[in-house]
Amino acid sequence: MDCLFCKIIAGDIPSKKAYEDADMLAFYDIAPQAKVHILVIPKEHIPSMDGVNADNAAVVAKIFAKIPEIAREAGITNGYRVVSNCGDDACQSVKHLHFHILGGEQLTERMA
Ligand code: AMP
């Protein structure tokens, strides 16, 4: 499959890993938009938040259960933002479900 994040999971494209287990990978964004900017992705290819359903939602729950630890381990101590861009209007550029963890500094109030 011609998917950038599937290639990162496979190790065909290098990444700076923050966390990995059998179901998910967390790695540092190549173009950080905050002092700490990590992407968390399921290893299963789900195209976007719009592709989440009752059959695959367990991995999303696992990701959300792990995000606080990933943020802590990355040195975030004073809060963070979790974002998932879904579809064209949200400017999703990689069509593999991912959650941005943004933190390590004061973020702006504006979200859109
Ligand atoms: P989105 O625009 O929400 O689809 O987010 C995709 C993110 O992937 C962007 O923040 C990019 O900077 C990031 N990105 C693209 N290619 C890479 C890569 N090879 N390694 C790490 N992050 C990447």
Side-chain angles (χ1 to χ4, degrees):
M1 189 182 297
D2 193 26
C3 168
L4 175 66
F5 287 175
C6 284
K7 288 177 184 161
I8 287 178
I9 291 163
D12 296 338
I13 293 174
S15 66
K16 187 184 169 198
K17 291 179 188 177
Y19 176 79
E20 182 171 22
D21 65 25
D23 300 306
M24 74 185 84
L25 175 66
F27 56 100
Y28 285 84
D29 197 291
I30 203 167
Q33 293 190 37
K35 197 166 173 194
V36 180
H37 186 171
I38 292 171
L39 301 171
V40 192
I41 64 176
K43 289 194 170 175
E44 175 187 352
H45 182 85
I46 301 170
S48 74
M49 196 60 223
D50 210 37
V52 175
N53 55 45
D55 292 332
N56 62 22
V59 72
V60 178
K62 281 192 76 170
I63 286 172
F64 272 79
K66 191 56 75 172
I67 281 175
E69 180 185 318
I70 294 169
R72 238 181 349 260
E73 291 289 314
I76 296 175
T77 56
N78 200 37
Y80 53 90
R81 183 171 289 154
V82 177
V83 175
S84 187
N85 295 320
C86 175
D88 292 341
D89 277 3
C91 303
Q92 181 185 2
S93 61
V94 180
K95 308 302 190 217
H96 183 124
L97 177 64
H98 52 283
F99 298 97
H100 299 258
I101 303 174
L102 299 147
E105 63 181 326
Q106 177 68 57
L107 305 176
T108 64
E109 283 187 15
R110 194 165 160 73
M111 285 189 285

